[in-house]
Amino acid sequence: MNVRQKISAEDMRERILVVAEEHFRRIGYAKTAVADIAQAMGMSPANVYRFFPSKLAINDALCAKIMRETDALIMSIVERPAPASERLRALIVELHRHNKEKLTNEHRLFDMVEVAMEENWPAIEAHCECVVCQMARLVTEGIASGEFRPVDPADFAETAFNATAKVFHPTMIAQCARFGDDQEDHARRIADLILAALRP
Amino acid sequence: MNVRQKISAEDMRERILVVAEEHFRRIGYAKTAVADIAQAMGMSPANVYRFFPSKLAINDALCAKIMRETDALIMSIVERPAPASERLRALIVELHRHNKEKLTNEHRLFDMVEVAMEENWPAIEAHCECVVCQMARLVTEGIASGEFRPVDPADFAETAFNATAKVFHPTMIAQCARFGDDQEDHARRIADLILAALRP
DNA sequence: TTTCTGATAAAAATCGAAAATCATCATACG
DNA sequence: CGTATGATGATTTTCGATTTTTATCAGAAA
């Protein structure tokens, strides 16, 4: 029964997140109350708090769920059978494209991500760490294969990540998009810059 | 007399900007009306509009004046008697430090700059062009002296500038400052990254 | 003429208070 | 034990009235 309960509770959390995501998509992140979510599931608002300690916990959990999808994309790129340099380049360009696409097509949902970044929710920190970590992995592999000069992979990855803020950070993407910049080209060029810094 | 008039008008524009700057510093950018400026100068609000076509024109002109001070700092760095690599590094680190310091110490005045960036006022565009231009100059000189490998200076400078958004852009600086990041270290590392990309 | 002012239209910001909504919790119910 | 109700205090929203603010223009002053 202990197992049964755990499964059920975890299942309920998941179901709450699904309903929350629907509402965020439709109504917007700021406008949906936990009462809306509860009502849509035929339960009382108070009952939702049996599964999440606060609304922010719901938000963060949903944020984490969304970011995990992005992380999956990253992993799929990193695991491609290709030279490290090519994968690093693809990571930068495709992650930028992915972020920009989500930002424009799922605007409602990505309001939340922007707030999450401004307030540094745990889910965001985890995601950024994932990106840096995978970059470091590519750097390590590139060094091993002789494509890259020897550097400290973790340090270099962190700096490279910082250098891509212009094409990764939602605020920057939104701002540049308003001016009609060709950001995908920027992403490519920044990737080139990073790869140039890794030349042996 | 034509000359006299022109000097007088230009002088008046300058005096308006000085008064506007005082008010922005004290009361804040959003809270000062052109009536305040006019009153402080003992003239009617209407008369101000003889020298500036709109309030935004005043804002932009003042913004340009402020940015020109920053541009002067940049020039002074670029003209130092030192290797191009050292000057490029100093440019990145010191411009970051300058921006961050202004952002924290002259908060009231820099509200305006943040708005200006979000709305892409002409003064901002001119400033960014100045930064890129001076970076390009340093790249050119570094190539000539053999410090750097041959690249297209303008292209490279633009990309390098984009890569420094994290440590130059007011929004990013403010955000990172809130989390207590050591941004000056980030600036140094990004400078290293850029210099590494320029190795022969 | 040239330089400025006062009056003023239109748009926007501000304000305060009433009403509604919200997250959360203590407690009652099945 | 899991669930729901109802209450609470805090925040947010609403809305209409009032004030500011921007910007213009005819005409006074110099």
Side-chain angles (χ1 to χ4, degrees):
Chain A
M1 56 180 172
N2 198 352
V3 172
R4 218 202 120 105
Q5 275 167 28
K6 248 200 164 177
I7 288 176
S8 179
E10 200 48 47
D11 191 49
M12 192 59 96
R13 284 171 55 91
E14 183 58 29
R15 264 199 275 165
I16 289 172
L17 291 183
V18 169
V19 174
E21 184 170 342
E22 274 170 24
H23 273 70
F24 286 6
R25 276 209 149 79
R26 200 146 33 82
I27 304 173
Y29 147 70
K31 300 286 171 196
T32 66
V34 317
D36 297 331
I37 299 169
Q39 196 192 8
M41 301 184 68
M43 38 153 109
S44 80
N47 200 35
V48 172
Y49 283 89
R50 302 200 358 91
F51 302 98
F52 288 98
S54 69
K55 184 176 187 190
L56 197 135
I58 300 175
N59 292 340
D60 185 60
L62 180 51
C63 203
K65 197 181 150 192
I66 294 170
M67 296 323 254
R68 248 178 278 124
E69 286 171 27
T70 302
D71 291 348
L73 167 70
I74 293 170
M75 299 302 284
S76 83
I77 295 171
V78 169
E79 281 161 5
R80 281 178 197 164
S85 58
E86 199 174 307
R87 281 178 287 159
L88 186 51
R89 191 169 214 284
L91 177 63
I92 292 168
V93 174
E94 290 181 34
L95 183 52
H96 160 71
R97 200 179 302 159
H98 177 266
N99 281 351
K100 181 163 183 183
E101 199 249 326
K102 292 270 177 191
L103 195 68
T104 52
N105 290 3
E106 301 177 69
H107 187 285
R108 281 270 153 66
L109 203 51
F110 258 59
D111 289 351
M112 184 178 61
V113 177
E114 238 177 299
V115 173
M117 296 208 71
E118 257 155 39
E119 298 177 359
N120 212 25
W121 297 359
I124 295 296
E125 203 157 8
H127 168 66
C128 290
E129 201 184 309
C130 172
V131 177
V132 172
C133 204
Q134 294 309 309
M135 276 186 171
R137 183 173 150 193
L138 287 179
V139 172
T140 305
E141 290 183 23
I143 295 169
S145 73
E147 285 176 78
F148 301 151
R149 73 190 170 98
V151 295
D152 181 293
D155 277 3
F156 188 91
E158 200 198 320
T159 301
F161 181 65
N162 283 333
T164 54
K166 182 96 185 283
V167 293
F168 283 174
H169 198 295
T171 306
M172 294 290 100
I173 295 178
Q175 203 165 114
C176 292
R178 234 177 296 132
F179 308 149
D181 292 12
D182 183 355
Q183 293 174 89
E184 201 161 319
D185 189 55
H186 290 174
R188 270 191 297 269
R189 284 166 188 264
I190 289 176
D192 287 341
L193 179 82
I194 291 169
L195 289 176
L198 284 168
R199 272 171 309 140
Chain B
M1 58 184 166
N2 199 355
V3 171
R4 217 199 124 103
Q5 277 167 30
K6 247 201 164 176
I7 287 177
S8 180
E10 200 47 48
D11 191 48
M12 192 58 97
R13 284 172 55 91
E14 183 58 28
R15 266 200 274 166
I16 288 172
L17 291 184
V18 170
V19 174
E21 184 171 342
E22 275 170 23
H23 273 68
F24 286 6
R25 274 209 151 78
R26 202 147 31 83
I27 304 174
Y29 146 70
K31 300 286 171 196
T32 66
V34 319
D36 298 331
I37 298 169
Q39 196 192 7
M41 303 184 68
M43 47 153 102
S44 77
N47 202 34
V48 173
Y49 283 92
R50 298 204 331 105
F51 303 98
F52 289 98
S54 70
K55 180 167 190 199
L56 197 135
I58 300 176
N59 292 340
D60 185 59
L62 180 52
C63 202
K65 197 181 151 192
I66 294 170
M67 297 323 252
R68 248 180 276 124
E69 287 172 26
T70 301
D71 291 348
L73 168 69
I74 293 170
M75 299 301 285
S76 83
I77 295 171
V78 169
E79 279 159 7
R80 281 179 195 163
S85 59
E86 201 176 302
R87 282 177 286 158
L88 186 51
R89 192 170 214 284
L91 177 63
I92 292 168
V93 174
E94 290 181 36
L95 183 53
H96 160 71
R97 201 180 301 156
H98 176 266
N99 281 351
K100 182 165 183 181
E101 198 249 327
K102 292 270 177 190
L103 195 67
T104 53
N105 290 4
E106 301 178 70
H107 188 285
R108 281 270 154 66
L109 202 51
F110 258 59
D111 290 352
M112 186 180 58
V113 178
E114 239 178 299
V115 174
M117 296 207 71
E118 257 155 39
E119 299 177 358
N120 212 25
W121 297 0
I124 294 297
E125 204 157 8
H127 168 67
C128 289
E129 200 183 309
C130 172
V131 177
V132 172
C133 206
Q134 294 309 310
M135 277 186 169
R137 183 174 149 193
L138 287 178
V139 172
T140 305
E141 289 183 26
I143 295 170
S145 74
E147 285 176 79
F148 300 151
R149 74 188 168 99
V151 295
D152 181 293
D155 277 3
F156 188 92
E158 200 199 319
T159 301
F161 181 66
N162 284 333
T164 55
K166 182 94 185 282
V167 293
F168 283 173
H169 198 296
T171 306
M172 294 289 100
I173 294 177
Q175 202 165 113
C176 291
R178 233 177 296 132
F179 307 149
D181 292 11
D182 182 354
Q183 294 174 89
E184 200 160 321
D185 188 55
H186 289 175
R188 270 191 297 271
R189 286 166 187 264
I190 289 177
D192 287 341
L193 179 82
I194 291 169
L195 289 176
L198 283 169
R199 271 172 309 144

